[in-house]
Amino acid sequence: MIEKNQTWKLVERPQHHKVIGVKWVFRKKKNTDGSIKKYKAMLVVKGYAQVFGVDYFDTFAPIARLDTIRMLLAIATQKQWKIYQLDVKSAFLNDFLKEEIYVEQPACFAAKRDEDKVCLLKKALYDLTQAPRVWYSKIDKYLLKLGFVKSFSESTLYVKGDS
């Protein structure tokens, strides 16, 4: 998915920018009976190494409040509305970064003959401090383009009436 999304490009190691490490996180997805469904590997940035004001300036990304979700479900049930749930695969890998972020090439994934180069991120990776903000910005623009209206009091609530 990282290559498909063109998440980074290989560049010479910068002189005046910090290069952040990355690591692989491995998981097993299981079936309901406990048997292994599939193995998953996820590349994450060592975001704890980032410094505010140097590597990033803004991290705000709103989270839906539980009372808003409960209220929405109660109203939808009462009015017999259809409810749709969305799970976006590789959500944080989908939008472009504004900052210049350099990361080491992942272990066992380094480009042959370019092992000394680093990755200039074009798009966010998991555990990057600004990844949630980048994702929220993308989904916000998309929903507004589709004609949804954002609530004034709850920034994660979007409403669209029938046309």
Side-chain angles (χ1 to χ4, degrees):
M1 191 54 110
I2 290 169
E3 287 178 335
K4 182 180 175 185
N5 280 345
Q6 300 176 342
T7 305
W8 63 59
K9 69 177 182 177
L10 282 179
V11 296
E12 297 296 328
R13 186 175 292 272
Q15 295 292 324
H16 304 291
H17 280 278
K18 179 170 64 174
V19 178
I20 303 168
V22 294
K23 65 181 178 179
W24 289 104
V25 175
F26 300 99
R27 282 195 230 152
K28 296 176 193 169
K29 284 269 191 169
K30 296 186 177 185
N31 294 312
T32 53
D33 65 359
S35 62
I36 296 172
K37 182 177 184 178
K38 64 181 172 179
Y39 295 93
K40 293 193 73 165
M42 185 169 61
L43 183 67
V44 298
V45 173
K46 295 179 180 176
Y48 56 81
Q50 291 183 278
V51 177
F52 178 76
V54 176
D55 300 310
Y56 65 94
F57 299 95
D58 188 16
T59 60
F60 172 75
I63 297 171
R65 295 190 326 234
L66 195 52
D67 56 338
T68 302
I69 295 169
R70 284 186 188 131
M71 178 204 59
L72 183 62
L73 291 173
I75 293 170
T77 301
Q78 185 179 43
K79 296 192 177 267
Q80 298 181 339
W81 290 344
K82 290 182 182 178
I83 296 178
Y84 298 93
Q85 185 250 335
L86 174 69
D87 184 18
V88 179
K89 290 186 179 193
S90 305
F92 285 178
L93 308 179
N94 283 302
D95 204 12
F96 293 95
L97 292 168
K98 292 180 178 86
E99 302 89 355
E100 273 188 41
I101 308 270
Y102 297 89
V103 298
E104 298 288 350
Q105 288 190 60
C108 304
F109 204 71
K112 295 198 188 301
R113 299 187 193 111
D114 284 327
E115 292 89 354
D116 57 326
K117 291 188 176 183
V118 296
C119 303
L120 170 59
L121 291 181
K122 295 189 220 174
K123 297 182 180 180
L125 285 174
Y126 289 100
D127 284 358
L128 190 64
T129 304
Q130 56 270 56
R133 176 188 49 82
V134 172
W135 164 243
Y136 176 73
S137 173
K138 174 119 181 171
I139 194 71
D140 178 65
K141 287 178 203 163
Y142 183 72
L143 292 172
L144 294 174
K145 187 174 113 182
L146 289 177
F148 284 84
V149 177
K150 189 185 330 186
S151 167
F152 290 111
S153 59
E154 173 62 83
S155 58
T156 61
L157 178 62
Y158 295 80
V159 178
K160 184 174 183 182
D162 288 337
S163 301

